[in-house]
């Protein structure tokens, strides 16, 4: 995600030690950006990565049975999808 200078409606305040502030300031300077932009870019990227790793979900017994039923059901025949997957595409030459 690239953060643009457009107006942002929400504010986020954090408290840091003097040492943390100095390190962040030096890192932002090395990246040729502002501390706010640097912190937001890095925190946002880390948040996206963490959320992408969420691969576990919990279901009740009834929800689990319904989920398994859906997985075990025969696939639906969708003519448009069958055509898409069987005919040559624009990159096939």
């Amino acid at each position: 995600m690239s953060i643009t200078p457009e107006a942002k409606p929400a504010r986020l305040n954090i408290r840091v030690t003097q040492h943390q502030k100095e390190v962040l300031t030096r890192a932002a300077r090395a990246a040729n950006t502002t501390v706010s932009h640097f912190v937001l870019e890095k925190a946002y990227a880390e948040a996206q990565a963490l959320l992408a790793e969420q691969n576990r979900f919990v279901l009740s017994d009834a929800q689990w049975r319904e989920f398994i039923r859906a997985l075990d059901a025969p696939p639906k025949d969708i003519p448009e999808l069958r055509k898409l997957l069987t005919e040559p595409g624009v990159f096939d030459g």
Side-chain angles (χ1 to χ4, degrees):
M1 175 193 125
S2 181
I3 299 177
T4 59
E6 63 196 41
K8 296 177 184 86
R11 179 178 281 283
L12 177 67
N13 295 305
I14 60 171
R15 293 190 179 277
V16 296
T17 67
Q18 186 61 37
H19 177 72
Q20 290 170 324
K21 182 178 179 182
E22 290 167 4
V23 170
L24 291 170
T25 301
R26 287 194 333 256
R29 195 174 301 127
N32 197 30
T33 189
T34 65
V35 173
S36 292
H37 185 265
F38 179 83
V39 169
L40 181 54
E41 278 284 323
K42 300 304 178 188
Y44 188 78
E46 183 66 22
Q48 285 183 315
L50 179 97
L51 293 174
E53 292 174 5
Q54 299 291 314
N55 57 9
R56 182 172 184 264
F57 58 96
V58 179
L59 300 173
S60 69
D61 288 341
Q63 291 171 319
W64 177 253
R65 286 190 297 274
E66 185 178 338
F67 178 68
I68 294 300
R69 236 186 336 269
L71 288 177
D72 290 340
K76 294 178 183 175
D77 185 34
I78 304 172
E80 296 85 0
L81 183 57
R82 183 171 305 284
K83 179 181 175 185
L84 177 69
L85 296 174
T86 57
E87 292 185 359
V90 294
F91 296 112
D92 292 328

